[in-house]
Amino acid sequence: MLINTELNYIRETFLPLQLYLLCASGDYVKVYSTATEECVHILQGHTNLVTGIQLNPQNHMQLYSCSLDGTVKLWDFTDGILIKTFVVGYKLFAFYTLAGSEDSVFIIIPKKNEESLDSFQLVSVKLPKTPDQAVEAKELSLILDDIGQSPKCTAFGREVYLLFWMFPLSATSRKGANNYFTCVACHPKEDCIASGHKDGKIRLWRNFNHKREYTFSTLHWHHDVVMDLAFSVEGTSLLSGGVESVLVQWRDGSDCKKEFLPRLGSAIEHISASPDGTLYCTSHTENKITLIHSNLRVSAVIQGLVKGTDIKTGLVIDPRTKALVLNGKPGHLQFYCLQTDKQLYNLDIVQQEYIHQIGLNQVDLVKAAFSARGSWLATVEQREEKETELELQMKLWNYDEQTQSFTLNTRINMPHEDHVTALCFRDTDELEDGTPTLVTAGKDGQFKVWVLVDDSDSEKQSMGWNCDFVGSYHNYPATNCCFSEDGSLLAVSFEETVTVWNSDTWDLICTFCHPPGKIQNLCFGRLSCSKYLLGTTDNGFLCCWNLLSCALEWSAQLNVMVLQPDPLSENIAAVSQLLEGSDLFVFKPNEPRPFCIQRNVCRERVQWAVFIPRDVPESVGSEKHQWLSRSQLYFLTETQDLLTFSTKSTEERLTPSSKQLAVEESLPMTPFYLLLGKHRHQQQSKENADLGTAVVQSHLAQVSPAIKELLHTPAHVLPSASFLCSIFINSMLISKENKSAGEVVEVEMDSEKAEDESDEDLDLTEMEQDMNPTEFLDEITQTKLSKSQEKQLRKIRRMDYSWVAVL
């Protein structure tokens, strides 16, 4: 089953509430603690992008969320429980609430439910009040037509809705200013509207109730587009942000009273203020949230997977930390922990200041590779001013155990005369204490072998990397390279030809050709399939060659875009794109028929994939998912969404955010349950003279869902008592199965009670210590003694035999 990981990029609205920060993240809503920066809950249930979140004006412990899946969901976000789902039936692009509208909310939907028309409308939706958890909300009322779909384009003020195009402005002024509106915000206390524009100006509109007498004042600091605006809770300050990565606070709407919080890392996309006014938060284009005190001091940073313009390094695994490594901030590698959904650190590769200017050619990080144990890291960076002006630099980084970080060891200018297309380490070198070896391939028609040599002299000891061998094949551009599992063979592709080389002597052993079609991906089989070499071509063929017979074993036309081997098994994953969406095929090279086919794994084109070994193999019950037991497959789409596969069912993944209200036993118990539950157990252990009844009641208390729901569920999300009453009463009734056994026990106990009540109490206490209730029931029903025999037996058991110990 395909799921989004915890790494989806943060979008839309941010709502701090005392100790919690709520944000939409892909198909989920994440709840963060502002004190610890930890993710407290992930609200799962939407099946498409979440486009808006708002607190319930009537209950600030509840949250509304809307999505492109056409539903509005109501959550108890403190416990991570889904309370109700309202099915609207349209794609929802924005969501708004008003304190004065108890049963209605406002949404933006496509006109005629056709998104392609690029015309949207603001409507109000009446939310039915029914006990059902899934409710259809079909009562829509049109408010405004032909509006923009962006949530920033509509704002609600003091019980009225206001839109940014209410005030006419020419698109461009005589001075060349760009007056297009980009965002709008309403003052919480006054009749004032703030609007942001593409030219960096902010306008404050007043007296807009009069058709021709409205006025506006202008604030200007941003040199480019204003991306978002937000008023403080009391309205004394206006916050603005843009591409400058600077938060600007305007006091009292004055151009002279402004404060700045600079160097926030990347462009500011969204701004929000907490209801108590003590915190602000900003979200950034690099998928980061910054929590800021009201005095403009950074309180905390919540960093997600950095969203770059293009992932050129691919997905790489750090062998030391098992972290996912890929392009991060410009010129950096980001190390991201998939288990904790947190960024470990950024490694500055380019070591140059990045200038935020459109059209400026800057140094770009394009390749990265780790050695087998993670002791060495190779990176390639390039800068291309024109087609004939190419700057290349390869850097070799050594991991320092003392500083626990990578330090630059060797810098090589222009390792190739043209673009570097691939690089890889020979994995067996570190494992067998051999000489570390690196191979690079370039469009200049060469592949080069680099080895670590001793550059020590009389003054100091040092190790560096030098070129040891240069190979080529008919001057064709080299496109891919990879080593076999044992490191004895090197495969290098030159356009349509695959060459295999001996890694000890660097002699050419054999060649494989599959015209027409240039080789795009190349990899060796592993373990029992190590005799196979696989490659894909740009015309859609997947080829498998046998290295022993030097012949083509099989081929298939699947239009494979990504080919990724599992480092811990013979399995190979191939992602293809035929018509719409991407398909996944998992197979072994010795079996051309795939054993796992997953159609439409995602809507977008898959760019990269990687297998990440598990620390402990996972026990997988289904044979269909056995290939995921030792490694987990992650893949990145062209929209930079990171996806993975899960062996858990949808019901298991959504607990406790699914439609069930009762929390599982493993979750923390409420104080109400601890108080009442403890009292119930004490009362049962002390006062149950009727053992049969006690057994039945204890059994009912353990299995009854109604009792669980009453004792476990927080009181503020429980349904009404009338709704639970019938369920609770039915759960307390004794079923017909247990009725006969209960009657036998009651008859036997009553007869004994009539003879000697005090003896019975003592007898029951001793018997409860010696045997469990089930064994006691069996003895009562199977062994029938006369009353005189039972009385004599009790007297014998009460006699003191301690004198025997003296003997």
Side-chain angles (χ1 to χ4, degrees), residues 139-245:
E139 190 174 337
L140 307 181
S141 301
L142 178 64
I143 304 297
L144 277 176
D145 212 345
D146 295 325
I147 67 172
Q149 72 177 80
S150 173
K152 298 179 183 180
C153 296
T154 304
F156 282 75
R158 302 194 305 165
E159 299 183 358
V160 294
Y161 58 87
L162 304 160
L163 293 111
F164 69 85
W165 50 76
M166 291 175 62
F167 312 107
L169 281 176
S170 59
T172 57
S173 66
R174 296 177 181 178
K175 297 181 180 181
N178 192 335
N179 292 327
Y180 280 103
F181 288 84
T182 57
C183 54
V184 64
C186 294
H187 198 287
K189 305 292 185 181
E190 303 174 3
D191 291 337
C192 175
I193 299 174
S195 60
H197 303 263
K198 279 192 174 183
D199 60 359
K201 292 181 180 179
I202 300 170
R203 290 181 172 87
L204 298 178
W205 304 81
R206 300 179 186 276
N207 299 326
F208 44 79
N209 291 328
H210 304 282
K211 292 183 179 180
R212 297 183 178 277
E213 297 180 5
Y214 64 84
T215 60
F216 68 86
S217 57
T218 303
L219 308 175
H220 194 190
W221 178 86
H222 299 278
H223 80 277
D224 208 333
V225 55
V226 179
M227 300 187 71
D228 201 15
L229 295 170
F231 280 98
S232 61
V233 177
E234 297 297 328
T236 57
S237 299
L238 175 65
L239 304 170
S240 64
V243 297
E244 303 88 357
S245 307

Side-chain angles (χ1 to χ4, degrees), residues 457-694:
D457 53 25
S458 58
E459 296 182 358
K460 64 176 183 179
Q461 292 184 352
S462 64
M463 304 289 288
W465 289 78
N466 288 336
C467 183
D468 183 63
F469 178 78
V470 178
S472 63
Y473 186 79
H474 298 296
N475 291 325
Y476 293 148
T479 55
N480 290 277
C481 62
C482 63
F483 279 99
S484 60
E485 185 179 15
D486 60 0
S488 62
L489 299 176
L490 170 69
V492 183
S493 62
F494 295 89
E495 290 194 340
E496 300 175 356
T497 306
V498 179
T499 60
V500 181
W501 307 72
N502 187 319
S503 64
D504 291 329
T505 61
W506 304 116
D507 292 333
L508 179 62
I509 299 176
C510 63
T511 60
F512 300 107
C513 188
H514 193 279
K518 298 179 181 180
I519 303 296
Q520 287 187 324
N521 299 285
L522 201 62
C523 71
F524 280 94
R526 291 181 174 272
L527 301 178
S528 62
C529 298
S530 59
K531 65 179 181 179
Y532 297 103
L533 176 64
L534 295 100
T536 64
T537 64
D538 60 359
N539 59 2
F541 279 93
L542 171 62
C543 306
C544 178
W545 294 280
N546 191 318
L547 296 173
L548 300 181
S549 62
C550 295
L552 180 66
E553 189 81 6
W554 55 266
S555 66
Q557 191 167 10
L558 296 174
N559 195 28
V560 175
M561 310 301 295
V562 177
L563 189 68
Q564 186 64 37
D566 183 0
L568 300 181
S569 70
E570 299 93 345
N571 302 330
I572 294 180
V575 182
S576 70
Q577 187 176 26
L578 296 176
L579 297 175
E580 293 183 358
S582 299
D583 302 330
L584 174 69
F585 300 89
V586 185
F587 63 95
K588 296 182 179 180
N590 57 356
E591 294 288 341
R593 185 182 299 274
F595 59 83
C596 178
I597 300 176
Q598 186 81 27
R599 300 289 185 182
N600 296 321
V601 293
C602 64
R603 296 180 290 269
E604 300 93 9
R605 177 176 175 269
V606 176
Q607 285 188 322
W608 305 99
V610 66
F611 276 99
I612 298 182
R614 301 182 188 272
D615 294 332
V616 178
E618 186 174 294
S619 58
V620 181
S622 172
E623 294 184 1
K624 182 180 179 181
H625 298 141
Q626 284 296 329
W627 62 279
L628 292 170
S629 61
R630 303 189 65 184
S631 301
Q632 190 165 2
L633 178 65
Y634 288 84
F635 53 94
L636 192 74
T637 66
E638 59 184 355
T639 57
Q640 297 188 23
D641 285 331
L642 186 66
L643 307 176
T644 187
F645 284 88
S646 173
T647 57
K648 297 180 181 179
S649 64
T650 305
E651 195 171 315
E652 291 175 328
R653 290 190 296 105
L654 297 184
T655 304
S657 301
S658 63
K659 61 183 179 181
Q660 62 181 7
L661 282 177
V663 184
E664 294 295 333
E665 292 282 352
S666 59
L667 296 178
M669 298 182 182
T670 62
F672 176 70
Y673 176 80
L674 293 175
L675 177 63
L676 182 59
K678 183 177 181 181
H679 174 71
R680 287 173 59 89
H681 287 302
Q682 289 178 349
Q683 187 176 11
Q684 287 177 1
S685 62
K686 291 181 179 179
E687 299 179 1
N688 281 332
D690 189 335
L691 183 59
T693 305

Side-chain angles (χ1 to χ4, degrees), residues 7 303-306 316-329 332-338 340-349 365 368-370 374 376-379 397 399 404-406:
L7 308 175
Q303 178 67 69
L305 190 68
V306 175
V316 189
I317 300 302
D318 178 14
R320 290 180 173 273
T321 61
K322 299 295 188 297
L324 182 68
V325 182
L326 67 162
N327 289 104
K329 297 190 297 184
H332 291 68
L333 280 178
Q334 60 173 320
F335 289 69
Y336 201 87
C337 180
L338 296 169
T340 61
D341 192 16
K342 287 185 177 181
Q343 185 184 94
L344 299 181
Y345 61 93
N346 272 301
L347 181 61
D348 189 359
I349 301 297
L365 179 61
F370 286 93
W376 291 96
L377 167 64
T379 60
W397 307 76
Y399 187 80
Q404 295 289 299
S405 63
F406 285 93

Side-chain angles (χ1 to χ4, degrees), residues 85 124 260 272 333 354 364 366 453 492 527 746:
T85 299
S124 66
F260 304 95
S272 182
L333 280 178
Y354 183 79
D364 199 6
V366 294
V453 296
V492 183
L527 301 178
E746 288 178 7

